């Protein structure tokens, strides 16, 4: 009898199907809008703003992927294969930009580089110039957005490429050299093609984050789909047209994700050799060391040191005048909201992951795939997709109440007017994150353990509680922490779904920065950066342990 | 009265003198090592783990830099004081313990990887000739992971030989094969290397294997690390 296909897991399968509804429902709602009338709003958008949204989003995503790809892959290669003073420190420093959300980076960079900022002010004072006497690249432009987002997001590519380069067997690269290729040709023809699936995975994350970004592009005055959806919903007050815009964006995203998935399946690489011990390559000479250091330090400087330094400077110099009371309250609200969202995300991921482990097949693999797709859905799209069904449920509750108890009092907007909508929205987007950690945790537990527990009389529930949960403790903790941080940083969905008089740190920063009050926003911004350091620190640990496990012990 | 002709003693293709190597600034892994291998000769290196066998191969291949001593291939100094020819310019082939076949390239693409600067027609002809020599021509379009260990080993040999190296290094290249396949593939490989007149250095941990295929056998722990200077002292037939 095959225990994995036994009847015991039926409850888990049903639970898994229900859990994936948090992703499936908003998507279905968005796509159903295609068949609804927008009273001419869609035609108006198609004739005026849609081409701008589409071209800006495409150019932004392409530009960011290109720059982040070059920076991420080259730093990963240098730090995996070259030895020079400071390389180890730079290795973990590459992940620091992850702690600065793109919108914070945009606020700091715009503040520094705009006409009235300190950089241009210094240039004018130093060279005795007036406005119009010189040219300075405008930060509030498509190029400026590419610059800011690339250096905020390149660590995704760096991390994926670094892990892939660390995993490559040393003998593979040495074979390339012995077959007549120089160091660069070996990188280009051997290492890069082998790391391609991982690098493409990292680039897909960068692309999704870019397309989903609202705060940075909004501040840098670049009209993309994300800002378009927000404005169509709240300025034009046309939820149907906004949903139709979202459907268009989602179709393009799903097409790209599907394409990448197909390519990855077709070109699946099988390891033919040992994982191989890896040494960092030869020690570089003084000049080469200097170039390598500069190549790896500049991205950290732009992505972390400069924006954080500016925000810190503003926070110390002025800070939030209402800091004490208001900020503490907002920080408290942010923390309990993020905590609640992360606990729910871990529980849902546990249900989906365990169901997939108990039973293999479409009924369990399907929910896992749907849940993973949630990360590709931009925040504003999720918010729109949730407002419609939750609003409908709220109305039905109120109608039912009126019929049952009369018209004297109504419960009001129970779902759309409370944090419940936000908590559901966070699951739609971040369930994918917790699921990936939970599933990788499950993969590390040999399946014989399940079989042993089942033959000793444990049902699926008891096996999970007494065997799997203790073994998964670390994975669950990391999953919870990463979701916690993602929720604490999240902006567009929070902005659209939050109840009245409910702010998070991200919303507070957005509102103050939008009013050109960055000095006051800086304190909350620094708190977000501090929270954001948690996943960066976790990833550093993962890179270091991966590096240690491949370090050469050959005599 | 008949006089016997003096026996012809061909010059060594690979010659190592007084080689010294240490990782970082640590104690020497290899010290005062001498080795001479002639064309078509198979020289086996025996020794316990950590004895420096693989390190010596890596030094010959140019994958590590010697602290002292010289390595010549033919008349060319490839490693010595102030000289370190990069691996791609040494005319040295190597078959790794894990074969190191590129998993994203087919058998044909693996073998063709080392051929450059010649016409496509010549390239194809050489690849086919070498795959034919190792009996793998019919598998040319297969991906490495679809081959057995013995087949992967043959492809690795063809890939290394197609560049017509003067020295071939075998780093426990048969250890991952089962006994029966190992004996068969080993005999084929050695015959192939002798026919191609390549000077071969083979690392093994199995004395019986060394005796079976080696023209000379060196015990690396006992000679090189101790620094014996006479090559014949650490090489016996």
């Amino acid at each position: 009898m095959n225990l994995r296909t036994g009847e015991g897991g039926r409850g888990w399968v049903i639970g898994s199907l229900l859990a994936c509804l948090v992703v499936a429902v908003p998507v279905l709602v968005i796509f159903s809008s295609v068949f609804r009338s927008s009273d001419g709003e869609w035609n108006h958008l198609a004739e005026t703003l849609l081409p701008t949204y589409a071209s800006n989003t495409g150019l932004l995503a392409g530009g960011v992927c290109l720059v982040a790809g070059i920076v991420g892959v080259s730093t990963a290669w240098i730090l995996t294969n070259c030895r020079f003073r400071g390389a180890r420190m730079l290795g973990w420093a590459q992940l620091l930009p992850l702690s600065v959300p793109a919108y914070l980076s945009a606020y700091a960079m715009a503040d520094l580089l705009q006409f009235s900022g300190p950089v241009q002010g210094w240039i004018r004072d130093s060279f005795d110039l007036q406005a119009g006497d010189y040219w300075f690249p405008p930060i509030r432009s498509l190029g400026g957005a590419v610059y800011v987002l690339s250096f905020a997001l390149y660590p995704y590519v760096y991390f994926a490429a670094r892990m892939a380069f660390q995993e490559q067997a040393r003998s593979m690269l040495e074979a390339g050299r012995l077959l007549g290729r120089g160091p660069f040709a070996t990188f280009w023809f051997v290492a890069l093609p082998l790391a391609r699936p991982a690098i493409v995975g990292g680039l897909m994350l960068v692309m999704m984050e870019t397309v989903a970004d609202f705060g940075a592009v909004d501040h840098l005055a670049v009209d993309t789909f994300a800002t378009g959806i927000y404005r169509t919903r709240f300025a034009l007050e046309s939820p149907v047209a906004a949903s139709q815009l979202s459907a268009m964006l989602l179709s393009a995203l799903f097409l790209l994700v599907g394409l990448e998935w197909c390519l990855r399946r077709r070109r699946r690489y099988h390891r033919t050799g040992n994982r191989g011990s890896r040494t960092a390559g030869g020690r570089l000479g003084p000049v080469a060391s200097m170039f390598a250091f500069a190549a790896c330090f500049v991205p950290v400087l732009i992505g972390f040191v400069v924006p954080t330094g500016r925000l810190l400077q503003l926070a110390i110099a002025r800070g939030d005048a209402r800091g004490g009371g208001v900020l503490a309250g907002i920080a408290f609200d942010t923390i309990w909201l993020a905590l609640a969202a992360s606990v729910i995300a871990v529980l849902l991921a546990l249900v989906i992951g365990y169901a997939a482990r108990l039973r293999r097949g479409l009924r369990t693999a399907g929910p896992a795939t749907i849940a993973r797709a949630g990360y590709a859905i931009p925040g504003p799209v999720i918010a729109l997709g949730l407002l419609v069904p939750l609003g409908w449920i709220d109305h039905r509750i109120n109608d039912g109440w009126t019929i049952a108890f009369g018209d004297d009092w109504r419960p009001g907007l129970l779902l759309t007017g409370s944090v419940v909508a936000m908590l559901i929205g966070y699951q739609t987007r971040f369930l994918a994150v917790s699921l990936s950690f939970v599933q990788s945790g499950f993969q590390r537990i040999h399946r014989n353990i399940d079989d042993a527990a089942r033959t000793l009389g444990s049902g699926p529930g008891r096996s999970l509680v007494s065997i799997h949960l203790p073994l998964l403790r670390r994975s669950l903790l990391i999953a919870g922490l990463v979701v916690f941080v993602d929720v604490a940083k999240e902006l567009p969905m929070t902005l659209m779904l939050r109840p009245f008089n409910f702010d998070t740190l991200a919303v507070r920063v957005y509102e103050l920065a939008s009013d050109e009050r960055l000095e006051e926003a800086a304190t909350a911004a620094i708190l977000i950066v501090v929270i954001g350091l948690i996943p960066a620190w976790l990833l550093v640990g993962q890179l270091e342990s991966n590096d240690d496990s491949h370090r050469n012990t050959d005599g | 009265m008949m006089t016997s002709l003096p026996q012809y003693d061909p010059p060594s293709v690979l010659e190592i003198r007084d080689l010294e190597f240490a990782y970082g600034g640590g104690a020497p892994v290899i010290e005062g090592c001498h080795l001479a291998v002639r064309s078509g000769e198979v020289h086996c290196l025996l020794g316990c783990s950590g004895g420096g066998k693989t390190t010596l191969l890596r030094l010959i291949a140019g994958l590590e830099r010697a602290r002292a001593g010289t390595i010549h291939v033919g008349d060319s100094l490839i490693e010595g004081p102030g000289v370190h020819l990069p691996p791609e310019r040494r005319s040295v082939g190597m078959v790794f313990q894990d074969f190191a076949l590129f998993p994203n390239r087919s058998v044909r693409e693996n073998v063709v990887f080392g051929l450059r600067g010649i016409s496509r027609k010549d390239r194809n002809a050489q690849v086919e000739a070498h795959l034919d020599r190792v009996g793998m021509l019919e598998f040319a379009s297969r991906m490495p992971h679809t081959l057995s260990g013995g087949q992967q080993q043959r492809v690795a040999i063809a890939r290394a030989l197609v560049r017509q190296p003067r020295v071939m290094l075998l780093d426990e290249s048969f250890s991952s094969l089962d006994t029966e396949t190992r004996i068969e593939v080993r005999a084929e490989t050695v015959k192939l290397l002798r026919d191609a007149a390549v000077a071969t250095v083979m690392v093994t941990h199995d004395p019986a294997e060394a005796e079976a295929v080696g023209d000379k056998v060196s015990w690396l722990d006992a000679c090189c690390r101790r620094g014996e200077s006479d090559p014949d002292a650490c090489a016996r037939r």
Side-chain angles (χ1 to χ4, degrees):
Chain A
M1 176 184 155
N2 186 349
L3 293 166
R4 281 171 214 139
T5 55
E7 291 302 303
R10 184 174 291 158
W12 292 96
V13 176
I14 294 167
S16 171
L17 286 165
L18 289 174
C20 83
L21 286 180
V22 294
V23 178
V25 168
V27 172
L28 289 174
V29 168
I30 290 295
F31 280 116
S32 72
S33 70
V34 174
F35 307 105
R36 288 156 60 196
S37 164
S38 62
D39 295 330
E41 299 287 0
W42 173 255
N43 291 338
H44 169 69
L45 276 176
E47 285 164 13
T48 54
L49 289 164
L50 187 59
T52 311
Y53 292 156
S55 64
N56 277 354
T57 306
L59 288 170
L60 184 70
V64 172
C65 282
L66 184 71
V67 179
I70 291 170
V71 174
V73 171
S74 49
T75 48
W77 178 252
I78 291 170
L79 290 165
T80 311
N81 291 284
C82 302
R83 281 188 290 168
F84 55 94
R85 192 179 287 273
R88 196 175 174 90
M89 181 264 293
L90 283 172
W92 59 257
Q94 300 302 317
L95 296 167
L96 290 177
L98 281 182
S99 63
V100 187
Y103 56 86
L104 290 188
S105 204
Y107 300 157
M109 285 298 185
D111 180 60
L112 278 171
L113 302 175
Q114 64 191 348
F115 179 78
S116 56
V119 173
Q120 291 203 50
W122 177 82
I123 290 173
R124 284 196 300 274
D125 291 345
S126 301
F127 301 100
D128 199 20
L129 297 170
Q130 301 294 319
D133 289 348
Y134 67 99
W135 179 84
F136 193 86
I139 187 70
R140 285 194 164 84
S141 65
L142 184 62
V146 168
Y147 164 77
V148 167
L149 285 164
S150 299
F151 286 96
L153 300 175
Y154 86 88
Y156 287 115
V157 183
Y158 164 78
F159 185 77
R162 182 92 198 265
M163 294 286 276
F165 289 144
Q166 283 175 337
E167 295 270 330
Q168 285 175 2
R170 179 179 61 180
S171 58
M172 210 73 79
L173 305 180
E174 290 173 350
R177 295 296 302 278
L178 286 162
L179 291 167
R181 304 296 175 106
F184 182 76
T186 303
F187 161 72
W188 191 257
F189 292 108
V190 179
L192 204 57
L194 287 174
R196 197 193 67 96
I199 293 169
V200 172
L203 285 173
M204 290 303 286
L205 271 178
V206 169
M207 192 198 67
M208 287 172 199
E209 290 284 345
T210 304
V211 172
D213 178 77
F214 170 78
V217 289
D218 183 55
H219 195 72
L220 299 176
V222 179
D223 289 334
T224 63
F225 267 106
T227 56
I229 291 164
Y230 185 83
R231 285 190 203 129
T232 308
R233 173 66 183 84
F234 292 104
L236 274 177
E237 295 201 345
S238 175
V240 177
S243 299
Q244 287 168 343
L245 265 181
S246 304
M248 200 173 165
L249 176 61
L250 268 190
S251 305
L253 276 174
F254 284 164
L255 195 71
L256 277 170
V257 172
L259 196 69
E260 190 267 332
W261 185 73
C262 287
L263 284 174
R264 198 183 284 217
R265 265 173 70 95
R266 273 180 55 194
R267 292 190 66 91
R268 183 171 292 170
Y269 302 152
H270 296 257
R271 201 186 296 276
T272 53
N274 299 331
R275 271 158 72 99
S277 56
R278 297 277 278 121
T279 45
R283 182 166 280 283
L284 298 179
V287 178
S289 285
M290 211 170 66
F291 277 108
F293 189 91
C296 298
F297 181 65
V298 169
V300 182
L301 187 76
I302 301 173
F304 180 76
V305 178
V306 172
T308 311
R310 181 62 177 164
L311 292 170
L312 203 58
Q313 186 198 9
L314 292 172
I316 292 167
R318 180 146 175 208
D320 197 335
R322 298 159 66 203
V326 176
L327 198 60
I330 293 172
F332 178 75
D333 284 347
T334 308
I335 288 170
W336 77 252
L337 182 74
L339 204 61
S342 60
V343 169
I344 297 169
V346 168
L347 289 175
L348 291 182
L350 204 58
V351 171
I352 295 174
Y354 194 51
R357 187 176 174 87
L358 286 173
R359 291 190 178 199
R360 289 178 184 174
L362 193 62
R363 278 182 303 172
T364 53
T369 307
I370 291 170
R372 274 196 296 271
Y375 199 73
I377 311 172
V381 178
I382 293 170
L384 272 179
L386 280 176
L387 281 172
V388 175
L390 293 181
W392 182 86
I393 295 171
D394 270 341
H395 282 297
R396 297 293 80 77
I397 291 171
N398 279 277
D399 292 347
W401 186 277
T402 308
I403 293 165
F405 305 106
D407 210 8
D408 298 337
W409 183 84
R410 285 178 163 208
L413 299 174
L414 286 175
L415 299 176
T416 48
S418 68
V419 291
V420 175
M422 296 166 80
L423 288 173
I424 297 172
Y426 294 140
Q427 304 314 313
T428 311
R429 183 145 164 78
F430 301 124
L431 182 55
V433 176
S434 60
L435 184 62
S436 73
F437 285 105
V438 169
Q439 283 197 314
S440 75
F442 270 125
Q443 277 166 10
R444 281 197 288 272
I445 303 171
H446 200 283
R447 283 185 176 273
N448 285 349
I449 298 268
D450 300 40
D451 293 346
R454 298 292 294 275
T455 52
L456 291 167
S458 284
R462 194 172 153 222
S463 296
L464 178 71
V465 172
S466 56
I467 307 290
H468 294 93
L469 281 184
L471 294 171
L472 283 171
R473 209 167 38 201
R474 186 179 150 78
S475 300
L476 299 180
L477 185 70
I478 293 175
L481 269 175
V482 175
V483 174
F484 176 90
V485 175
D486 274 337
V487 171
K489 294 193 301 188
E490 209 286 331
L491 178 63
M493 192 163 44
T494 310
L495 207 57
M496 291 171 77
L497 291 176
R498 73 197 164 118
F500 292 115
N501 289 326
F502 187 92
D503 285 348
T504 63
L505 288 170
V507 172
R508 170 94 178 142
V509 174
Y510 170 78
E511 288 182 339
L512 291 172
S514 302
D515 292 345
E516 299 291 331
R517 292 157 65 194
L518 190 61
E519 293 97 335
E520 291 170 64
T523 313
I526 287 295
L527 281 177
I528 295 175
V529 173
V530 172
I531 293 172
L533 284 171
I534 297 170
W537 168 69
L538 288 171
L539 292 177
V540 167
Q542 203 172 334
L543 267 186
E544 299 249 312
S545 66
N546 201 42
D547 204 22
D548 289 343
S549 69
H550 292 108
R551 211 162 272 285
N552 184 29
T553 52
D554 178 30
Chain B
M1 182 180 150
M2 285 187 55
T3 54
S4 60
L5 288 167
Q7 197 179 351
Y8 174 64
D9 196 11
S12 301
V13 172
L14 172 71
E15 195 160 330
I16 297 174
R17 293 206 168 276
D18 251 336
L19 201 68
E20 190 176 312
F21 175 80
Y23 284 104
V29 179
I30 289 172
E31 202 174 4
C33 183
H34 296 267
L35 202 74
V37 189
R38 298 188 181 95
S39 171
E41 192 175 75
V42 177
H43 193 123
C44 288
L45 295 178
L46 275 170
C48 57
S49 295
K53 305 184 296 293
T54 296
T55 305
L56 181 57
L57 293 196
R58 295 174 60 76
L59 283 162
I60 299 168
L63 298 167
E64 305 286 355
R65 200 179 268 245
R67 195 153 78 174
T70 59
I71 304 175
H72 281 84
V73 170
D75 295 331
S76 310
L77 176 68
I78 59 168
E79 186 83 31
V83 177
H84 176 78
L85 212 60
E88 61 270 23
R89 291 171 53 199
R90 289 200 169 201
S91 191
V92 173
M94 187 163 176
V95 178
F96 294 84
Q97 191 174 359
D98 60 4
F99 313 132
L101 296 179
F102 306 130
N104 54 329
R105 292 169 185 268
S106 68
V107 166
R108 181 191 298 278
E109 287 167 344
N110 261 279
V111 179
V112 89
F113 186 86
L115 289 176
R116 283 190 308 157
I118 55 172
S119 69
R120 180 187 291 263
K121 193 178 157 195
D122 289 348
R123 214 160 50 201
N124 286 341
Q126 285 202 38
V127 168
E128 284 180 12
H130 278 83
L131 283 176
D132 196 27
R133 275 171 83 182
V134 297
M136 290 298 293
L137 188 55
E138 61 184 302
F139 300 97
S141 56
R142 295 265 290 266
M143 295 303 279
H145 72 272
T146 64
L147 304 176
S148 68
Q151 289 170 328
Q152 288 186 25
Q153 221 270 358
R154 289 185 175 104
V155 176
I157 295 273
R159 186 178 72 171
L161 275 178
V162 77
R163 279 172 54 79
Q164 299 175 334
R166 301 187 67 189
V167 176
M168 178 67 87
L169 309 171
L170 305 177
D171 186 8
E172 299 198 35
S173 307
F174 310 106
S175 62
S176 59
L177 307 179
D178 63 79
T179 312
E180 205 171 306
T181 314
R182 184 165 68 226
I183 292 167
E184 182 191 326
V185 174
R186 191 177 66 199
E188 286 171 9
T189 305
V190 169
K191 183 177 181 310
L192 212 64
L193 292 169
R194 284 194 209 283
D195 290 349
V198 177
T200 303
V201 182
M202 176 175 147
V203 161
T204 176
H205 59 269
D206 180 2
E209 183 171 81
E211 286 294 338
V213 299
D215 299 305
K216 283 183 179 171
V217 180
S218 293
W219 184 267
L220 206 58
D221 290 318
C223 57
C224 293
R225 287 186 77 184
R226 241 190 4 230
E228 287 181 12
S229 57
D230 179 7
D232 292 328
C234 65
R236 62 190 166 78
R237 189 154 174 86

